[in-house]
Amino acid sequence: MRRLDVLLALVSAVAITVATEVAGEPSSRDSTVAAAALGVVTGTLLLFRRRHPVLVLVLSLVAIMGYNLTDFPSVSPIWPLLVPLYTVARAGQPLIAAAVGASTLLVSTGWVRNAGVEPLRMLDGALREAAMLALALVAGTAFRTAELYAREAEARFAAEQAEQARESARLVLAERIRIARELHDVTAHTVAVVGIQLNLARELVGRDPDAARELLDGARQVNVDAIDELSRAVRLLREPGAATGPELCSLPDETHLGTLLDRAAEAGLRTRFDLEGEPRPLPPTVGLTLYRIAQESVTNVLRHAHARSITLTLRYAPDGVGLDVRDDGTGGGSGPAAGGHGLTGMRERATGLGGTLHAGPLSGGGYAVGAWLPRTVDGAGRPVSGDAVETVDGAGGPVSGDAVETVDVAGGTVPADGIDRRRTVDGDRVAEASTEPGGGGR
């Protein structure tokens, strides 16, 4: 029980007792004991007003009306009921409080009229009691409205806090997935290329030391490049604010696809790079996603497909860019059912930018990965118009149209401006070199 309720009950009991005691009527008898009894009853009832507001109001009204039916000096029934009336209104039942108050006011006015009070005096008393009744009802309703608003605001705040907590957990999970995907793409490709080159170098070390030495140098360079790329990726992940700065621009993009195929050629694959449409500048995130999808696809071909050749096609369109990677492999581990996470990561990258990715075996043999990414902003993050953008090739120079010159490179073809003239090995050896015990899927 609240201290405020006890204090209010005590004050109300004293006030009703004193007011009833001082009320005097010529034909009335002494009301000291009766006044004290009425004060105690009405005050005690107020102790239960929060749990039973309507019942307390009714019992208080009965007590006052019963007292006024005796020959003790009568008391106005409105002001002793102000606290119960206020409590009922605050409890959300203002109509009941208004009905009880109005009925009591009519009965009180009738008693005063029967007592022969002058009309003006009777009207003055009725108006004052009506004002007190209205004040109690308005105060109770206003406080209830304020309480409901405060509860609603508290509930909204709690819901917002819970939503923020869920959003924070989602962002943390997304960041963990992004970090895992970035590190997986770099390390998986590096391990695959370096492993194949080391296997080929071991086979050639006795027959062609120069070729074996070049393969070892290539493996070392791939390792150095991977360490540098990992350092930049980790630095970018640790500093999210650099996501639009030089760190992001220094990560690989679609202009490095030729270098990616060069490494595949060094591992023994016959490679081909086709460019369709008019090349346009791409946002860094789109370029990086294209490169990672192509990197993962090439890694899967090297590790699992037992392929001899791979073809990469980059298609530019006004509203986006497409990437197709096809191989002629026949290995059983080349499909997504082999249990790897590469296809899942590629699909997450594509859908994260609003694009799509499809992968599956070809009817004539081999495997294909196709991705489509929307192109909505340029490298600086500004909206661009398809007709106002200068077309550039992978090296940053202008191109004339759909026709892109290609030349042979040790069993494959790449654009003329992307040639790496390092020595490559016979593509027939890659199937043996890429076979790994317990190899996973794409």
Side-chain angles (χ1 to χ4, degrees):
M1 187 175 296
R2 301 182 181 180
R3 293 182 179 179
L4 177 61
D5 291 341
V6 176
L7 179 61
L8 185 60
L10 181 61
V11 171
S12 177
V14 173
I16 292 176
T17 300
V18 173
T20 305
E21 174 66 21
V22 299
E25 293 180 0
S27 59
S28 300
R29 53 179 180 165
D30 182 61
S31 61
T32 303
V33 176
L38 179 62
V40 171
V41 170
T42 54
T44 303
L45 288 174
L46 292 182
L47 297 175
F48 307 96
R49 67 188 182 93
R50 295 184 185 274
R51 286 180 291 179
H52 309 286
V54 176
L55 180 61
V56 169
L57 174 61
V58 172
L59 293 179
S60 299
L61 178 61
V62 170
I64 295 172
M65 290 300 185
Y67 173 84
N68 285 339
L69 290 176
T70 64
D71 58 352
F72 296 110
S74 61
V75 61
S76 170
I78 293 297
W79 70 265
L81 294 178
L82 290 180
V83 175
L85 288 170
Y86 162 84
T87 304
V88 172
R90 186 169 180 176
Q93 298 174 309
L95 294 180
I96 294 179
V100 173
S103 301
T104 305
L105 180 61
L106 290 176
V107 172
S108 175
T109 303
W111 278 351
V112 173
R113 181 180 179 182
N114 291 333
V117 179
E118 298 178 358
L120 291 180
R121 183 179 177 184
M122 180 185 67
L123 179 62
D124 176 69
L127 290 177
R128 283 185 294 172
E129 289 183 344
M132 288 189 294
L133 173 63
L135 180 62
L137 297 179
V138 170
T141 303
F143 274 99
R144 175 170 177 79
T145 303
E147 285 181 349
L148 292 178
Y149 179 80
R151 292 175 186 174
E152 183 179 355
E154 184 178 355
R156 286 199 305 266
F157 178 75
E160 292 176 357
Q161 291 290 98
E163 180 62 25
Q164 290 179 1
R166 288 192 295 268
E167 181 66 13
S168 298
R170 187 190 66 81
L171 292 177
V172 169
L173 179 60
E175 185 69 6
R176 291 178 61 186
I177 293 175
R178 185 168 72 97
I179 294 173
R181 187 188 304 130
E182 198 72 22
L183 298 181
H184 167 271
D185 290 346
V186 177
T187 54
H189 178 74
T190 303
V191 170
V193 173
V194 170
I196 291 175
Q197 289 182 334
L198 291 179
N199 287 337
L200 293 173
R202 183 179 60 182
E203 293 182 7
L204 295 174
V205 67
R207 295 173 297 180
D208 192 347
D210 292 335
R213 188 177 298 108
E214 288 193 18
L215 284 170
L216 293 175
D217 291 340
R220 184 187 62 82
Q221 185 60 44
V222 170
N223 183 67
V224 172
D225 294 342
I227 292 176
D228 180 63
E229 188 175 342
L230 282 173
S231 299
R232 286 185 276 117
V234 171
R235 191 158 54 249
L236 175 63
L237 294 170
R238 286 181 174 176
E239 302 173 7
T244 57
E247 286 296 335
L248 182 57
C249 295
S250 65
L251 291 173
D253 54 22
E254 77 281 2
T255 63
H256 296 79
L257 294 177
T259 303
L260 183 64
L261 287 183
D262 288 341
R263 293 176 178 174
E266 290 179 351
L269 285 175
R270 293 190 298 272
T271 63
R272 179 181 178 84
F273 185 15
D274 294 331
L275 189 64
E276 299 180 3
E278 296 183 357
R280 302 167 183 265
L282 298 176
T285 52
V286 175
L288 175 61
T289 300
L290 287 172
Y291 181 85
R292 292 301 188 208
I293 292 175
Q295 184 183 50
E296 178 64 23
S297 300
V298 172
T299 301
N300 289 336
V301 172
L302 290 173
R303 297 180 63 184
H304 313 301
H306 307 289
R308 298 175 183 273
S309 66
I310 183 172
T311 300
L312 190 151
T313 303
L314 189 62
R315 297 185 177 90
Y316 285 94
D319 60 340
V321 59
L323 175 69
D324 289 334
V325 182
R326 298 174 178 242
D327 64 71
D328 60 353
T330 57
S334 61
H341 300 285
L343 284 177
T344 300
M346 289 190 289
R347 185 169 289 107
E348 289 175 350
R349 284 184 179 275
T351 56
L353 297 181
T356 59
L357 185 135
H358 303 282
L362 298 172
S363 59
Y367 200 84
V369 175
W372 173 262
L373 301 178
R375 174 185 168 276
T376 56
V377 295
D378 63 11
R382 300 184 300 267
V384 295
S385 172
D387 297 333
V389 180
E390 179 184 7
T391 59
V392 296
D393 63 8
V399 297
S400 59
D402 294 347
V404 178
E405 181 185 2
T406 61
V407 296
D408 293 332
V409 181
T413 58
V414 296
D417 57 2
I419 298 175
D420 187 340
R421 299 186 181 278
R422 290 175 291 184
R423 179 186 175 113
T424 61
V425 299
D426 186 359
D428 295 338
R429 299 177 182 270
V430 69
E432 298 179 15
S434 62
T435 302
E436 300 177 5
R442 296 187 181 214

